[in-house]
Amino acid sequence: MADPQVPETLEGWCLLHQVFRVRWDEWRALTAEDRAVAIDEAVASLSAMDRGEEGTTVLTTVLGHKGDLMLIHLRRDFEALQAAELSIAQLRLASHLETNTTFLSMVELGMYEMTAIIHARLRERGLAPDSSEFAQAFEAEMAEQRRRVAGRLFLEVPPGRYVCFYPMNKRRGEQVNWYHLPVEERLRLMRDHGKTGRRYAGRVTQVVSGAIGFDDWEWGVDLFADDPLVFKKLIYEMRFDEASALYAEFGPFYVGLRFHPCELPRFLQGDVPPPIPA
Amino acid sequence: MADPQVPETLEGWCLLHQVFRVRWDEWRALTAEDRAVAIDEAVASLSAMDRGEEGTTVLTTVLGHKGDLMLIHLRRDFEALQAAELSIAQLRLASHLETNTTFLSMVELGMYEMTAIIHARLRERGLAPDSSEFAQAFEAEMAEQRRRVAGRLFLEVPPGRYVCFYPMNKRRGEQVNWYHLPVEERLRLMRDHGKTGRRYAGRVTQVVSGAIGFDDWEWGVDLFADDPLVFKKLIYEMRFDEASALYAEFGPFYVGLRFHPCELPRFLQGDVPPPIPA
Amino acid sequence: MADPQVPETLEGWCLLHQVFRVRWDEWRALTAEDRAVAIDEAVASLSAMDRGEEGTTVLTTVLGHKGDLMLIHLRRDFEALQAAELSIAQLRLASHLETNTTFLSMVELGMYEMTAIIHARLRERGLAPDSSEFAQAFEAEMAEQRRRVAGRLFLEVPPGRYVCFYPMNKRRGEQVNWYHLPVEERLRLMRDHGKTGRRYAGRVTQVVSGAIGFDDWEWGVDLFADDPLVFKKLIYEMRFDEASALYAEFGPFYVGLRFHPCELPRFLQGDVPPPIPA
Amino acid sequence: MADPQVPETLEGWCLLHQVFRVRWDEWRALTAEDRAVAIDEAVASLSAMDRGEEGTTVLTTVLGHKGDLMLIHLRRDFEALQAAELSIAQLRLASHLETNTTFLSMVELGMYEMTAIIHARLRERGLAPDSSEFAQAFEAEMAEQRRRVAGRLFLEVPPGRYVCFYPMNKRRGEQVNWYHLPVEERLRLMRDHGKTGRRYAGRVTQVVSGAIGFDDWEWGVDLFADDPLVFKKLIYEMRFDEASALYAEFGPFYVGLRFHPCELPRFLQGDVPPPIPA
Amino acid sequence: MADPQVPETLEGWCLLHQVFRVRWDEWRALTAEDRAVAIDEAVASLSAMDRGEEGTTVLTTVLGHKGDLMLIHLRRDFEALQAAELSIAQLRLASHLETNTTFLSMVELGMYEMTAIIHARLRERGLAPDSSEFAQAFEAEMAEQRRRVAGRLFLEVPPGRYVCFYPMNKRRGEQVNWYHLPVEERLRLMRDHGKTGRRYAGRVTQVVSGAIGFDDWEWGVDLFADDPLVFKKLIYEMRFDEASALYAEFGPFYVGLRFHPCELPRFLQGDVPPPIPA
């Protein structure tokens, strides 16, 4: 907690990404009536998942063989994520879906800069890092930060027709090991990394979520943009950042087009669902 | 045995983790009656597995695509684990489960500190490390330790709504190789590692089990907590420990909500089963 | 954007490669009439995908177990690729195809040489790299380049009976890391690499597409030739290039014989479809 | 042959390990009569495989999801192994088994020590290593060794309720490479490694088989013991040996309980089959 | 072409290895008549594949779970391989086979020694390496070599009851990288490697085929011998060669017993097919 080597993090939405393949041949083999019943049920269920402060569920297509449909559930806690997962599994439609992968995480703000600042500030106040005064003051500072960034922890789903999701790790190689760097070096690298991202402000929105202890990669990244070329430009440019060049390991990439639950029928007919109106 | 490079270990419960996916479409396609029969049989069987000193079986949901249901069998020996596995396989319900993975291990207390102390103590008594007196005295000391920590070897399942399970290895890289470190260095690293864990005392309970010679990772770790965020905080902080930063390799993570066998019917209806009352 | 470490790229066709296995036993089990209906529908759909400036779809067989049929969709944007993918999935024939893999990318021209030249030219004009004048002038230069190479960005599918497709990465090893090299070194390596390729001019045509942010490898390479031995000779020779020897990582290779959609019936009877007439 | 860098090996039984999963739901769905017929056929076939000098077949359960049943075929040659494999595949029971993995190898005694001794002895006799006299004398010495250790090459299956099987390699890393060590160094490491094993004499029996040129790992190891904890203790202790710490790579571990073919009916009812009477 | 760093290669037969599993339960469930029809068709088709100068198809069993049956197609070009693959897929028997893997390659003679000799010879004649005279003279020399070794490029299938097939790569590690060695060093290593092989002349025949640009490993190796122990001895001994010790990476191994197509009925009854008479 008070270990200055370990940057603080603040957590917001609990996230469950689900990537499904549609078993199109089975689906088409149903009677029109059976399909209609399954569609109505699914639209009703997914629409009801948009519950404001309690969270929502985003739908996207997925390009390529990794999936056809991706759901991103945003919820207040893991109980609610478990409920969402189980209720999807009970849909008639689910009998014709195959889960390719999922990702369990929490929206996370890394506080590299702020952790260093707070530590410095408390030391200036003469508090000993191991004292309970320090711990209390530290917790108070963090609570303050949490209030300050609440809007980014429990953010509205960003606009953008295209979504790109991928998981990643910081490298723990034998010579090149992020977790063995001094905190000052990590801070410097994160700062530079942030600059690249900021150059893309307005064209792409990034949501980082932490998955350590929850899933098999350390972080998930969701990008939202109106032009998918921006994903390529941003990630390519970042790949030359020292932080990414040396320390980033990337998992599989999932790219798709976002749409509203009420357009699910169109998608299940094999048409590209239209964008969500602005 | 008397090799001071090799820390002693003490073993307790034999553990078999089983992670299952429910084939929900098959399950829902059964008649209500068939489901009821299968549920009754499963509840009876799982409830009967809670047999005090002979062991018990823990049930959890699993978040994400890796599974829906995890069973953790604690037993006195491998015969009993084999019996548990075979009896689960014979359940009607098992026809609608798909085993995604399992993990075979024994609850283990690593005796780094204690091995060093005993070696020193016996040397002080003038016993030659290769003598049969040394071996006898050593075995007597270990038996004493075994009595002392019996409660941790055959522990009660810790409370906590959430369970996090993952396997891990100590790295055997070409330059960074745990098994090639001198025992003093390993002792120092384990000591530091332990400190991080102790800071989380009261918020999370950790059960380590050894799987060398039994399964494909060297250890399994089960964490029990009421708030899953604690898993993330603990594992993230530990990742900066020198022992973990340099030497830990992590397998897949399984996170779920623990529940009582009698709530299995609710789970199999697609509802989140309630916590076990305190 | 104005980071001289990051070479500019220009993008053309959006590409989706789809590799399918035919479930021959299922297919043969259909009645002759059902097969005829499915074939007619597929031929009509694939033929209609040849739409000039809007793109086209290439068909090839695939040798070996990785697939039987590969489709390469060239389109103006990802919406059109998604539409192509969904319309293939709705074909009757698709019920007897199994997607083994896909690859999502954009035809890409790497501008290593040109990026350096433009940077130099703008510096000579006295523009500060961070100024908006620089950015504007840079964008104007790139637009000019885009016009100049439009024919290579939105190229006609090259002739050639044989097609070889494979994805690749630039290595990001612990010691050998492309993304950590100075741009001058990368430029030199790319120049040498280009020379090897040019020696094969006339015998093979190469199309490189970028997949960073879209798929799990960084680039896709399509080679078109009349003699498959040329693939072996070219790729073997390149493997000794410093750029490839040290930095290239290769994914799976897919080799097949190109044919016209109207020859699909012959292929689905188990015969090798004839080449497209010149 | 006469290359003193390459230790001689002596080969005995040809081994095929087969690990099967039982498709329990299918199996239970059979009529009692069909099950009885399948069981009788399987018991008869497996019992007939115990043919003394021609070899035998060992049965074990398997703990965990990797399998339910393991067969270890010991035969005089690969023709006989192929016959055993094909005859198992023709059993009615085989329709309800799923082969998870197999391992093809030959019982092997590594002659590190002896190769060095013979080389020295022949050099003392003044024979030139490249001469045909040397080759002849060498072959005579090896034949003598073969006679001497025939009982270990064509050993009786060791007693022990528990069996642990795993494949392994010697590491061929970029810096740490067993096959690039001078033979003296390998000899020294193997000698130390042997000492650890000998400390477990009487509690565990080890059978090493070579698989280079036959299967995807270089060696297979079978351990037989009455207490599975011994597997853990032995393999853990060995992991600190220099030979293992630096050079051993381990494949998946399979642990089970050995039983007699005549107890197969009990196993197929879902009960733990009793041990083979001593 | 004229790059002296790149050794020339000469190519012969085009090869497609296919490894199949037999779905024995399905196969046995057919009526005797259906089996007979399928067998007759398969025997006729495979026998007709023995067409002298146009190529042939070798049949082997496969030991272990990787397959039951391996076909090795030797043909003049990839069109003919594609035709063979498609005609196998149309067999009634194919409905009961499952393709586990395939390998696409061309018989290849590496010309390390000869490339160096020709380069030296042409330089002595005073030809400049970049001149068209050099290129022409070089091509003439290679044509001569091609004639000289035609019998090894389009070889008769070697005798031998046992076949061992495996793919391999030359290592492209971060420190140990075959493709970054000077050609003289590679020549020296290949020469030494060749010596080991020659010591096994008469006991085993090796056929190397190149797969760069065609498949996921760089080379395939087929060994033919009457005693499978020779595979183990040869490959073990070679593993200590500097070329193999440092630079060889091995794929999966497939070992089986060769038989004549007319013995397919016996194999499909579950018997070991007899050897091809000498």
Side-chain angles (χ1 to χ4, degrees), chain B residues 1 7 9 11 79 82-83 85-86 89-90 95 102 108 172-175 177 179 186 212-214 216 218, chain D residues 25 28 61 64-66 161-162 171 174-176 228 232-233 236-237 239-240 244-245 248 252-253 255 270:
Chain B
M1 278 301 148
T9 55
E11 283 75 17
E79 293 256 353
Q82 181 69 78
E85 186 187 2
L86 284 169
Q90 308 313 313
S95 299
T102 60
E108 176 187 303
R172 303 168 67 244
E174 295 193 61
Q175 289 97 42
N177 185 331
Y179 293 94
R186 281 179 278 130
I212 289 179
F214 302 148
D216 306 348
E218 299 179 336
Chain D
D25 48 349
R28 278 191 316 266
T61 69
H65 72 293
K66 291 177 208 158
R161 170 61 161 165
Y162 287 91
R171 187 184 288 205
E174 295 193 61
Q175 290 98 41
V176 178
K232 182 170 178 285
K233 295 283 188 192
Y236 185 54
E237 188 168 342
R239 208 152 280 196
F240 291 97
S244 297
F253 284 78
V255 174

Side-chain angles (χ1 to χ4, degrees), chain A residues 13-226:
Chain A
W13 290 122
C14 295
L15 296 187
L16 182 68
H17 286 70
Q18 294 187 295
V19 179
F20 300 102
R21 289 199 198 93
V22 179
R23 292 199 200 107
W24 291 110
D25 48 348
E26 272 184 38
W27 175 248
R28 278 192 315 266
L30 297 183
T31 64
E33 207 190 315
D34 281 351
R35 280 203 304 267
V37 171
I39 286 177
D40 287 352
E41 185 198 42
V43 170
S45 171
L46 288 163
S47 300
M49 284 182 175
D50 188 359
R51 294 175 53 197
E53 297 217 339
E54 289 312 301
T56 190
T57 289
V58 171
L59 280 79
T60 79
T61 69
V62 179
L63 274 152
H65 72 295
K66 292 177 207 158
D68 294 293
L69 180 68
M70 178 162 70
L71 302 184
I72 314 175
H73 303 286
L74 299 84
R75 293 294 184 280
R76 285 274 159 182
D77 56 36
F78 277 17
E79 294 255 354
L81 282 184
Q82 181 69 78
E85 187 187 1
L86 284 169
S87 74
I88 295 291
Q90 307 315 312
L91 293 177
R92 278 174 188 81
L93 179 61
S95 299
H96 311 289
L97 300 179
E98 210 170 274
T99 310
N100 179 27
T101 198
T102 59
F103 196 74
L104 179 66
S105 57
M106 287 186 192
V107 167
E108 176 187 302
L109 292 177
M111 303 263 102
Y112 261 99
E113 202 89 41
M114 194 44 74
T115 305
I117 291 172
I118 300 180
H119 272 278
R121 203 184 287 165
L122 299 191
R123 273 195 311 270
E124 270 172 36
R125 280 163 57 186
L127 299 178
D130 284 338
S131 65
S132 65
E133 288 79 10
F134 188 101
Q136 246 176 318
F138 195 91
E139 194 40 55
E141 291 268 12
M142 287 308 293
E144 172 56 28
Q145 293 303 324
R146 216 172 279 123
R147 268 189 300 276
R148 193 176 60 85
V149 297
R152 288 163 66 203
L153 295 174
F154 294 94
L155 77 168
E156 298 266 313
V157 179
R161 169 62 159 165
Y162 286 92
V163 178
C164 171
F165 168 70
Y166 59 95
M168 57 172 299
N169 283 340
K170 289 296 191 193
R171 188 184 288 205
R172 303 168 68 245
E174 295 193 61
Q175 289 98 42
V176 178
N177 186 330
W178 176 261
Y179 294 94
H180 206 227
L181 291 179
V183 68
E184 296 75 21
E185 177 68 0
R186 281 180 277 129
L187 173 55
R188 181 184 70 79
L189 290 167
M190 291 307 286
R191 223 181 250 153
D192 286 357
H193 183 65
K195 280 181 203 157
T196 310
R198 276 196 293 280
R199 251 179 280 158
Y200 284 80
R203 283 180 295 159
V204 59
T205 311
Q206 176 179 279
V207 178
V208 173
S209 56
I212 289 179
F214 301 148
D215 217 312
D216 305 349
W217 292 84
E218 299 179 336
W219 287 277
V221 179
D222 286 281
L223 303 177
F224 297 82
D226 278 316

Side-chain angles (χ1 to χ4, degrees), chain E residues 13 50 70 90 96 118 120 126 159 169 182 184 216-217 237 245 255:
Chain E
W13 289 122
D50 188 357
M70 179 163 70
Q90 307 314 313
H96 311 289
I118 299 179
N169 284 339
E184 296 75 23
D216 305 349
W217 293 83
E237 188 169 342
V255 174

Side-chain angles (χ1 to χ4, degrees), chain E residues 44-89:
Chain E
S45 170
L46 288 164
S47 300
M49 285 183 174
D50 188 357
R51 296 177 51 198
E53 297 217 339
E54 290 312 302
T56 190
T57 290
V58 172
L59 280 78
T60 79
T61 68
V62 179
L63 274 151
H65 72 294
K66 292 177 206 158
D68 294 293
L69 180 67
M70 179 163 70
L71 302 185
I72 314 177
H73 304 287
L74 300 83
R75 293 294 184 280
R76 285 274 160 182
D77 56 34
F78 277 17
E79 293 256 355
L81 283 183
Q82 181 69 78
E85 188 187 2
L86 284 169
S87 74
I88 295 292

Side-chain angles (χ1 to χ4, degrees), chain D residues 232-251:
Chain D
K232 182 170 178 285
K233 295 283 188 192
L234 169 63
I235 298 174
Y236 185 54
E237 188 168 342
M238 279 194 169
R239 208 152 280 196
F240 291 97
D241 271 346
E242 209 177 332
S244 297
L246 295 180
Y247 298 103
E249 291 176 345
F250 300 97

